[in-house]
PDB file of all heavy atoms in Angstrom:
ATOM      1  N   GLY A 711      51.203 108.139 152.129  1.00 91.00           N
ATOM      2  CA  GLY A 711      51.285 106.819 151.510  1.00 91.00           C
ATOM      3  C   GLY A 711      52.040 106.813 150.204  1.00 91.00           C
ATOM      4  O   GLY A 711      51.723 106.009 149.316  1.00 91.00           O
ATOM      5  N   GLY A 712      53.015 107.693 150.056  1.00 95.00           N
ATOM      6  CA  GLY A 712      53.790 107.745 148.828  1.00 95.00           C
ATOM      7  C   GLY A 712      53.059 108.374 147.664  1.00 95.00           C
ATOM      8  O   GLY A 712      53.392 108.126 146.503  1.00 95.00           O
ATOM      9  N   GLU A 713      52.063 109.216 147.952  1.00 94.00           N
ATOM     10  CA  GLU A 713      51.316 109.897 146.901  1.00 94.00           C
ATOM     11  C   GLU A 713      51.158 111.372 147.240  1.00 94.00           C
ATOM     12  O   GLU A 713      51.122 111.763 148.407  1.00 94.00           O
ATOM     13  CB  GLU A 713      49.927 109.272 146.722  1.00 94.00           C
ATOM     14  CG  GLU A 713      49.943 107.856 146.208  1.00 94.00           C
ATOM     15  CD  GLU A 713      48.547 107.299 146.051  1.00 94.00           C
ATOM     16  OE1 GLU A 713      47.635 107.725 146.795  1.00 94.00           O
ATOM     17  OE2 GLU A 713      48.356 106.432 145.176  1.00 94.00           O
ATOM     18  N   LEU A 714      51.029 112.180 146.202  1.00 92.00           N
ATOM     19  CA  LEU A 714      50.700 113.593 146.350  1.00 92.00           C
ATOM     20  C   LEU A 714      49.208 113.758 146.125  1.00 92.00           C
ATOM     21  O   LEU A 714      48.657 113.273 145.127  1.00 92.00           O
ATOM     22  CB  LEU A 714      51.469 114.425 145.322  1.00 92.00           C
ATOM     23  CG  LEU A 714      51.066 115.905 145.192  1.00 92.00           C
ATOM     24  CD1 LEU A 714      51.426 116.677 146.466  1.00 92.00           C
ATOM     25  CD2 LEU A 714      51.721 116.537 143.977  1.00 92.00           C
ATOM     26  N   GLN A 715      48.536 114.437 147.059  1.00 89.00           N
ATOM     27  CA  GLN A 715      47.090 114.619 146.936  1.00 89.00           C
ATOM     28  C   GLN A 715      46.702 116.063 147.227  1.00 89.00           C
ATOM     29  O   GLN A 715      47.291 116.696 148.106  1.00 89.00           O
ATOM     30  CB  GLN A 715      46.341 113.694 147.905  1.00 89.00           C
ATOM     31  CG  GLN A 715      46.617 112.219 147.703  1.00 89.00           C
ATOM     32  CD  GLN A 715      45.837 111.359 148.663  1.00 89.00           C
ATOM     33  OE1 GLN A 715      44.710 111.691 149.043  1.00 89.00           O
ATOM     34  NE2 GLN A 715      46.421 110.250 149.078  1.00 89.00           N
ATOM     35  N   PRO A 716      45.716 116.573 146.494  1.00 83.00           N
ATOM     36  CA  PRO A 716      45.168 117.893 146.844  1.00 83.00           C
ATOM     37  C   PRO A 716      44.185 117.734 147.996  1.00 83.00           C
ATOM     38  O   PRO A 716      43.339 116.845 147.980  1.00 83.00           O
ATOM     39  CB  PRO A 716      44.466 118.335 145.555  1.00 83.00           C
ATOM     40  CG  PRO A 716      44.096 117.059 144.880  1.00 83.00           C
ATOM     41  CD  PRO A 716      45.130 116.037 145.261  1.00 83.00           C
ATOM     42  N   ASP A 717      44.294 118.567 148.993  1.00 72.00           N
ATOM     43  CA  ASP A 717      43.430 118.491 150.161  1.00 72.00           C
ATOM     44  C   ASP A 717      42.507 119.701 150.159  1.00 72.00           C
ATOM     45  O   ASP A 717      42.771 120.710 150.798  1.00 72.00           O
ATOM     46  CB  ASP A 717      44.277 118.460 151.433  1.00 72.00           C
ATOM     47  CG  ASP A 717      43.426 118.297 152.679  1.00 72.00           C
ATOM     48  OD1 ASP A 717      42.256 117.907 152.547  1.00 72.00           O
ATOM     49  OD2 ASP A 717      43.944 118.566 153.770  1.00 72.00           O
ATOM     50  N   THR A 718      41.461 119.605 149.392  1.00 59.00           N
ATOM     51  CA  THR A 718      40.558 120.754 149.211  1.00 59.00           C
ATOM     52  C   THR A 718      39.131 120.329 149.498  1.00 59.00           C
ATOM     53  O   THR A 718      38.250 120.377 148.636  1.00 59.00           O
ATOM     54  CB  THR A 718      40.669 121.313 147.782  1.00 59.00           C
ATOM     55  OG1 THR A 718      40.430 120.226 146.870  1.00 59.00           O
ATOM     56  CG2 THR A 718      42.049 121.887 147.535  1.00 59.00           C
ATOM     57  N   VAL A 719      38.899 119.884 150.727  1.00 52.00           N
ATOM     58  CA  VAL A 719      37.593 119.343 151.087  1.00 52.00           C
ATOM     59  C   VAL A 719      36.480 120.353 150.838  1.00 52.00           C
ATOM     60  O   VAL A 719      35.382 120.011 150.417  1.00 52.00           O
ATOM     61  CB  VAL A 719      37.602 118.903 152.568  1.00 52.00           C
ATOM     62  CG1 VAL A 719      36.219 118.415 152.990  1.00 52.00           C
ATOM     63  CG2 VAL A 719      38.642 117.817 152.780  1.00 52.00           C
ATOM     64  N   SER A 720      36.761 121.616 151.089  1.00 46.00           N
ATOM     65  CA  SER A 720      35.723 122.632 150.913  1.00 46.00           C
ATOM     66  C   SER A 720      35.991 123.499 149.689  1.00 46.00           C
ATOM     67  O   SER A 720      35.616 124.664 149.658  1.00 46.00           O
ATOM     68  CB  SER A 720      35.655 123.512 152.167  1.00 46.00           C
ATOM     69  OG  SER A 720      36.905 124.128 152.402  1.00 46.00           O
ATOM     70  N   ALA A 721      36.659 122.924 148.693  1.00 48.00           N
ATOM     71  CA  ALA A 721      37.028 123.722 147.514  1.00 48.00           C
ATOM     72  C   ALA A 721      35.798 124.198 146.760  1.00 48.00           C
ATOM     73  O   ALA A 721      34.878 123.435 146.500  1.00 48.00           O
ATOM     74  CB  ALA A 721      37.896 122.893 146.587  1.00 48.00           C
ATOM     75  N   PRO A 722      35.753 125.470 146.405  1.00 50.00           N
ATOM     76  CA  PRO A 722      34.644 125.970 145.586  1.00 50.00           C
ATOM     77  C   PRO A 722      34.812 125.554 144.133  1.00 50.00           C
ATOM     78  O   PRO A 722      35.848 125.026 143.734  1.00 50.00           O
ATOM     79  CB  PRO A 722      34.780 127.494 145.732  1.00 50.00           C
ATOM     80  CG  PRO A 722      36.236 127.701 145.956  1.00 50.00           C
ATOM     81  CD  PRO A 722      36.709 126.524 146.754  1.00 50.00           C
ATOM     82  N   VAL A 723      33.811 125.793 143.343  1.00 52.00           N
ATOM     83  CA  VAL A 723      33.878 125.494 141.923  1.00 52.00           C
ATOM     84  C   VAL A 723      35.029 126.268 141.288  1.00 52.00           C
ATOM     85  O   VAL A 723      35.290 127.429 141.630  1.00 52.00           O
ATOM     86  CB  VAL A 723      32.540 125.863 141.243  1.00 52.00           C
ATOM     87  CG1 VAL A 723      32.633 125.683 139.724  1.00 52.00           C
ATOM     88  CG2 VAL A 723      31.414 125.005 141.800  1.00 52.00           C
ATOM     89  N   ASN A 724      35.717 125.585 140.353  1.00 58.00           N
ATOM     90  CA  ASN A 724      36.838 126.168 139.604  1.00 58.00           C
ATOM     91  C   ASN A 724      38.082 126.392 140.452  1.00 58.00           C
ATOM     92  O   ASN A 724      38.995 127.105 140.032  1.00 58.00           O
ATOM     93  CB  ASN A 724      36.443 127.478 138.918  1.00 58.00           C
ATOM     94  CG  ASN A 724      35.415 127.250 137.827  1.00 58.00           C
ATOM     95  OD1 ASN A 724      35.402 126.213 137.176  1.00 58.00           O
ATOM     96  ND2 ASN A 724      34.541 128.223 137.640  1.00 58.00           N
ATOM     97  N   ASP A 725      38.146 125.802 141.641  1.00 68.00           N
ATOM     98  CA  ASP A 725      39.356 125.914 142.438  1.00 68.00           C
ATOM     99  C   ASP A 725      40.449 125.076 141.782  1.00 68.00           C
ATOM    100  O   ASP A 725      40.228 123.939 141.378  1.00 68.00           O
ATOM    101  CB  ASP A 725      39.085 125.406 143.849  1.00 68.00           C
ATOM    102  CG  ASP A 725      40.040 125.991 144.863  1.00 68.00           C
ATOM    103  OD1 ASP A 725      40.734 126.955 144.515  1.00 68.00           O
ATOM    104  OD2 ASP A 725      40.082 125.478 145.989  1.00 68.00           O
ATOM    105  N   TYR A 726      41.657 125.642 141.697  1.00 74.00           N
ATOM    106  CA  TYR A 726      42.717 125.040 140.894  1.00 74.00           C
ATOM    107  C   TYR A 726      44.074 125.241 141.560  1.00 74.00           C
ATOM    108  O   TYR A 726      44.321 126.251 142.195  1.00 74.00           O
ATOM    109  CB  TYR A 726      42.744 125.702 139.505  1.00 74.00           C
ATOM    110  CG  TYR A 726      43.917 125.300 138.656  1.00 74.00           C
ATOM    111  CD1 TYR A 726      43.873 124.165 137.863  1.00 74.00           C
ATOM    112  CD2 TYR A 726      45.085 126.050 138.669  1.00 74.00           C
ATOM    113  CE1 TYR A 726      44.964 123.791 137.097  1.00 74.00           C
ATOM    114  CE2 TYR A 726      46.179 125.694 137.907  1.00 74.00           C
ATOM    115  CZ  TYR A 726      46.109 124.554 137.123  1.00 74.00           C
ATOM    116  OH  TYR A 726      47.201 124.180 136.381  1.00 74.00           O
ATOM    117  N   GLY A 727      44.950 124.263 141.415  1.00 81.00           N
ATOM    118  CA  GLY A 727      46.300 124.424 141.914  1.00 81.00           C
ATOM    119  C   GLY A 727      47.253 123.471 141.216  1.00 81.00           C
ATOM    120  O   GLY A 727      46.843 122.429 140.708  1.00 81.00           O
ATOM    121  N   ALA A 728      48.541 123.812 141.178  1.00 88.00           N
ATOM    122  CA  ALA A 728      49.538 122.975 140.520  1.00 88.00           C
ATOM    123  C   ALA A 728      50.892 123.152 141.183  1.00 88.00           C
ATOM    124  O   ALA A 728      51.225 124.229 141.679  1.00 88.00           O
ATOM    125  CB  ALA A 728      49.641 123.323 139.040  1.00 88.00           C
ATOM    126  N   TRP A 729      51.661 122.068 141.190  1.00 91.00           N
ATOM    127  CA  TRP A 729      53.055 122.111 141.603  1.00 91.00           C
ATOM    128  C   TRP A 729      53.915 121.841 140.373  1.00 91.00           C
ATOM    129  O   TRP A 729      53.710 120.838 139.681  1.00 91.00           O
ATOM    130  CB  TRP A 729      53.344 121.055 142.664  1.00 91.00           C
ATOM    131  CG  TRP A 729      52.773 121.379 144.006  1.00 91.00           C
ATOM    132  CD1 TRP A 729      51.633 120.881 144.557  1.00 91.00           C
ATOM    133  CD2 TRP A 729      53.323 122.272 144.980  1.00 91.00           C
ATOM    134  NE1 TRP A 729      51.421 121.393 145.802  1.00 91.00           N
ATOM    135  CE2 TRP A 729      52.457 122.261 146.094  1.00 91.00           C
ATOM    136  CE3 TRP A 729      54.465 123.079 145.008  1.00 91.00           C
ATOM    137  CZ2 TRP A 729      52.691 123.019 147.240  1.00 91.00           C
ATOM    138  CZ3 TRP A 729      54.695 123.833 146.150  1.00 91.00           C
ATOM    139  CH2 TRP A 729      53.823 123.806 147.248  1.00 91.00           C
ATOM    140  N   VAL A 730      54.876 122.710 140.087  1.00 95.00           N
ATOM    141  CA  VAL A 730      55.675 122.585 138.871  1.00 95.00           C
ATOM    142  C   VAL A 730      57.136 122.333 139.234  1.00 95.00           C
ATOM    143  O   VAL A 730      57.732 123.076 140.021  1.00 95.00           O
ATOM    144  CB  VAL A 730      55.550 123.855 137.996  1.00 95.00           C
ATOM    145  CG1 VAL A 730      56.437 123.744 136.767  1.00 95.00           C
ATOM    146  CG2 VAL A 730      54.103 124.049 137.581  1.00 95.00           C
ATOM    147  N   TRP A 731      57.702 121.270 138.667  1.00 98.00           N
ATOM    148  CA  TRP A 731      59.106 120.929 138.909  1.00 98.00           C
ATOM    149  C   TRP A 731      59.994 121.999 138.277  1.00 98.00           C
ATOM    150  O   TRP A 731      59.847 122.329 137.107  1.00 98.00           O
ATOM    151  CB  TRP A 731      59.413 119.560 138.324  1.00 98.00           C
ATOM    152  CG  TRP A 731      60.771 119.047 138.677  1.00 98.00           C
ATOM    153  CD1 TRP A 731      61.914 119.189 137.941  1.00 98.00           C
ATOM    154  CD2 TRP A 731      61.137 118.323 139.844  1.00 98.00           C
ATOM    155  NE1 TRP A 731      62.967 118.594 138.585  1.00 98.00           N
ATOM    156  CE2 TRP A 731      62.524 118.054 139.761  1.00 98.00           C
ATOM    157  CE3 TRP A 731      60.441 117.868 140.966  1.00 98.00           C
ATOM    158  CZ2 TRP A 731      63.219 117.344 140.743  1.00 98.00           C
ATOM    159  CZ3 TRP A 731      61.127 117.168 141.952  1.00 98.00           C
ATOM    160  CH2 TRP A 731      62.490 116.909 141.827  1.00 98.00           C
ATOM    161  N   THR A 732      60.927 122.533 139.053  1.00 97.00           N
ATOM    162  CA  THR A 732      61.670 123.709 138.592  1.00 97.00           C
ATOM    163  C   THR A 732      63.013 123.391 137.935  1.00 97.00           C
ATOM    164  O   THR A 732      63.548 124.209 137.201  1.00 97.00           O
ATOM    165  CB  THR A 732      61.928 124.672 139.759  1.00 97.00           C
ATOM    166  OG1 THR A 732      62.659 123.991 140.793  1.00 97.00           O
ATOM    167  CG2 THR A 732      60.617 125.183 140.338  1.00 97.00           C
ATOM    168  N   ALA A 733      63.584 122.216 138.189  1.00 96.00           N
ATOM    169  CA  ALA A 733      64.959 121.963 137.745  1.00 96.00           C
ATOM    170  C   ALA A 733      65.064 121.458 136.309  1.00 96.00           C
ATOM    171  O   ALA A 733      66.083 121.646 135.657  1.00 96.00           O
ATOM    172  CB  ALA A 733      65.636 120.963 138.679  1.00 96.00           C
ATOM    173  N   ASN A 734      64.043 120.794 135.812  1.00 97.00           N
ATOM    174  CA  ASN A 734      64.071 120.214 134.466  1.00 97.00           C
ATOM    175  C   ASN A 734      62.926 120.769 133.642  1.00 97.00           C
ATOM    176  O   ASN A 734      61.871 121.106 134.172  1.00 97.00           O
ATOM    177  CB  ASN A 734      63.966 118.690 134.531  1.00 97.00           C
ATOM    178  CG  ASN A 734      65.027 118.064 135.416  1.00 97.00           C
ATOM    179  OD1 ASN A 734      64.802 117.873 136.605  1.00 97.00           O
ATOM    180  ND2 ASN A 734      66.171 117.743 134.850  1.00 97.00           N
ATOM    181  N   SER A 735      63.126 120.826 132.334  1.00 97.00           N
ATOM    182  CA  SER A 735      62.093 121.356 131.447  1.00 97.00           C
ATOM    183  C   SER A 735      62.148 120.665 130.103  1.00 97.00           C
ATOM    184  O   SER A 735      63.132 120.005 129.761  1.00 97.00           O
ATOM    185  CB  SER A 735      62.263 122.867 131.267  1.00 97.00           C
ATOM    186  OG  SER A 735      63.521 123.154 130.666  1.00 97.00           O
ATOM    187  N   LEU A 736      61.077 120.815 129.334  1.00 98.00           N
ATOM    188  CA  LEU A 736      61.042 120.323 127.957  1.00 98.00           C
ATOM    189  C   LEU A 736      61.738 121.353 127.075  1.00 98.00           C
ATOM    190  O   LEU A 736      61.292 122.493 126.989  1.00 98.00           O
ATOM    191  CB  LEU A 736      59.600 120.136 127.492  1.00 98.00           C
ATOM    192  CG  LEU A 736      58.732 119.173 128.304  1.00 98.00           C
ATOM    193  CD1 LEU A 736      57.295 119.193 127.785  1.00 98.00           C
ATOM    194  CD2 LEU A 736      59.285 117.756 128.258  1.00 98.00           C
ATOM    195  N   GLN A 737      62.827 120.946 126.407  1.00 96.00           N
ATOM    196  CA  GLN A 737      63.553 121.881 125.558  1.00 96.00           C
ATOM    197  C   GLN A 737      63.871 121.315 124.185  1.00 96.00           C
ATOM    198  O   GLN A 737      63.890 122.056 123.204  1.00 96.00           O
ATOM    199  CB  GLN A 737      64.863 122.307 126.232  1.00 96.00           C
ATOM    200  CG  GLN A 737      64.677 123.051 127.543  1.00 96.00           C
ATOM    201  CD  GLN A 737      65.937 123.726 128.013  1.00 96.00           C
ATOM    202  OE1 GLN A 737      66.517 124.543 127.301  1.00 96.00           O
ATOM    203  NE2 GLN A 737      66.384 123.391 129.206  1.00 96.00           N
ATOM    204  N   ASN A 738      64.140 120.012 124.106  1.00 95.00           N
ATOM    205  CA  ASN A 738      64.568 119.404 122.849  1.00 95.00           C
ATOM    206  C   ASN A 738      63.613 118.302 122.431  1.00 95.00           C
ATOM    207  O   ASN A 738      62.909 117.702 123.264  1.00 95.00           O
ATOM    208  CB  ASN A 738      65.979 118.833 123.006  1.00 95.00           C
ATOM    209  CG  ASN A 738      66.974 119.877 123.447  1.00 95.00           C
ATOM    210  OD1 ASN A 738      67.139 120.900 122.786  1.00 95.00           O
ATOM    211  ND2 ASN A 738      67.634 119.653 124.577  1.00 95.00           N
ATOM    212  N   ALA A 739      63.582 118.022 121.138  1.00 96.00           N
ATOM    213  CA  ALA A 739      62.724 116.963 120.616  1.00 96.00           C
ATOM    214  C   ALA A 739      63.048 115.651 121.318  1.00 96.00           C
ATOM    215  O   ALA A 739      64.202 115.250 121.419  1.00 96.00           O
ATOM    216  CB  ALA A 739      62.923 116.824 119.113  1.00 96.00           C
ATOM    217  N   GLY A 740      62.026 114.998 121.822  1.00 96.00           N
ATOM    218  CA  GLY A 740      62.189 113.738 122.530  1.00 96.00           C
ATOM    219  C   GLY A 740      62.133 113.867 124.036  1.00 96.00           C
ATOM    220  O   GLY A 740      61.939 112.871 124.737  1.00 96.00           O
ATOM    221  N   ASP A 741      62.284 115.084 124.577  1.00 97.00           N
ATOM    222  CA  ASP A 741      62.162 115.273 126.024  1.00 97.00           C
ATOM    223  C   ASP A 741      60.724 114.995 126.453  1.00 97.00           C
ATOM    224  O   ASP A 741      59.779 115.367 125.754  1.00 97.00           O
ATOM    225  CB  ASP A 741      62.515 116.709 126.414  1.00 97.00           C
ATOM    226  CG  ASP A 741      63.985 117.033 126.226  1.00 97.00           C
ATOM    227  OD1 ASP A 741      64.761 116.120 125.893  1.00 97.00           O
ATOM    228  OD2 ASP A 741      64.351 118.213 126.406  1.00 97.00           O
ATOM    229  N   TRP A 742      60.549 114.351 127.634  1.00 98.00           N
ATOM    230  CA  TRP A 742      59.189 114.122 128.110  1.00 98.00           C
ATOM    231  C   TRP A 742      59.109 114.088 129.626  1.00 98.00           C
ATOM    232  O   TRP A 742      60.088 113.842 130.316  1.00 98.00           O
ATOM    233  CB  TRP A 742      58.572 112.857 127.525  1.00 98.00           C
ATOM    234  CG  TRP A 742      59.306 111.547 127.730  1.00 98.00           C
ATOM    235  CD1 TRP A 742      60.090 110.909 126.817  1.00 98.00           C
ATOM    236  CD2 TRP A 742      59.286 110.702 128.898  1.00 98.00           C
ATOM    237  NE1 TRP A 742      60.577 109.732 127.344  1.00 98.00           N
ATOM    238  CE2 TRP A 742      60.097 109.581 128.616  1.00 98.00           C
ATOM    239  CE3 TRP A 742      58.679 110.786 130.141  1.00 98.00           C
ATOM    240  CZ2 TRP A 742      60.311 108.542 129.536  1.00 98.00           C
ATOM    241  CZ3 TRP A 742      58.888 109.761 131.077  1.00 98.00           C
ATOM    242  CH2 TRP A 742      59.690 108.661 130.760  1.00 98.00           C
ATOM    243  N   PHE A 743      57.908 114.389 130.120  1.00 98.00           N
ATOM    244  CA  PHE A 743      57.539 114.205 131.513  1.00 98.00           C
ATOM    245  C   PHE A 743      56.378 113.211 131.552  1.00 98.00           C
ATOM    246  O   PHE A 743      55.577 113.140 130.618  1.00 98.00           O
ATOM    247  CB  PHE A 743      57.027 115.514 132.142  1.00 98.00           C
ATOM    248  CG  PHE A 743      58.090 116.444 132.640  1.00 98.00           C
ATOM    249  CD1 PHE A 743      58.663 117.381 131.802  1.00 98.00           C
ATOM    250  CD2 PHE A 743      58.507 116.406 133.967  1.00 98.00           C
ATOM    251  CE1 PHE A 743      59.628 118.254 132.253  1.00 98.00           C
ATOM    252  CE2 PHE A 743      59.473 117.286 134.432  1.00 98.00           C
ATOM    253  CZ  PHE A 743      60.039 118.215 133.578  1.00 98.00           C
ATOM    254  N   SER A 744      56.259 112.469 132.667  1.00 98.00           N
ATOM    255  CA  SER A 744      55.090 111.620 132.871  1.00 98.00           C
ATOM    256  C   SER A 744      54.766 111.589 134.358  1.00 98.00           C
ATOM    257  O   SER A 744      55.629 111.865 135.205  1.00 98.00           O
ATOM    258  CB  SER A 744      55.323 110.197 132.355  1.00 98.00           C
ATOM    259  OG  SER A 744      56.246 109.501 133.171  1.00 98.00           O
ATOM    260  N   VAL A 745      53.517 111.237 134.665  1.00 98.00           N
ATOM    261  CA  VAL A 745      53.112 111.080 136.054  1.00 98.00           C
ATOM    262  C   VAL A 745      51.991 110.044 136.102  1.00 98.00           C
ATOM    263  O   VAL A 745      51.210 109.905 135.154  1.00 98.00           O
ATOM    264  CB  VAL A 745      52.647 112.425 136.661  1.00 98.00           C
ATOM    265  CG1 VAL A 745      51.276 112.845 136.124  1.00 98.00           C
ATOM    266  CG2 VAL A 745      52.652 112.384 138.185  1.00 98.00           C
ATOM    267  N   ASP A 746      51.946 109.281 137.195  1.00 98.00           N
ATOM    268  CA  ASP A 746      50.849 108.343 137.427  1.00 98.00           C
ATOM    269  C   ASP A 746      49.746 109.078 138.174  1.00 98.00           C
ATOM    270  O   ASP A 746      50.004 109.766 139.171  1.00 98.00           O
ATOM    271  CB  ASP A 746      51.326 107.144 138.243  1.00 98.00           C
ATOM    272  CG  ASP A 746      52.381 106.322 137.517  1.00 98.00           C
ATOM    273  OD1 ASP A 746      52.410 106.375 136.275  1.00 98.00           O
ATOM    274  OD2 ASP A 746      53.166 105.636 138.195  1.00 98.00           O
TER     275      ASP A 746
END
């Protein structure tokens, strides 16, 4: 439905994951990332 969701129905406590965008990064003053 146009969204990214973690599918961890049986996730134990402290289960963690992340997807990191590889092409762009914060390098200079004023650079920013945002997400809904």
Side-chain angles (χ1 to χ4, degrees):
E713 294 180 331
L714 170 67
Q715 301 181 33
D717 183 16
T718 55
V719 176
S720 59
V723 175
N724 294 328
D725 204 13
Y726 172 87
W729 287 101
V730 177
W731 188 267
T732 58
N734 305 91
S735 62
L736 301 175
Q737 297 193 57
N738 303 303
D741 291 354
W742 56 259
F743 277 88
S744 70
V745 73
D746 297 336

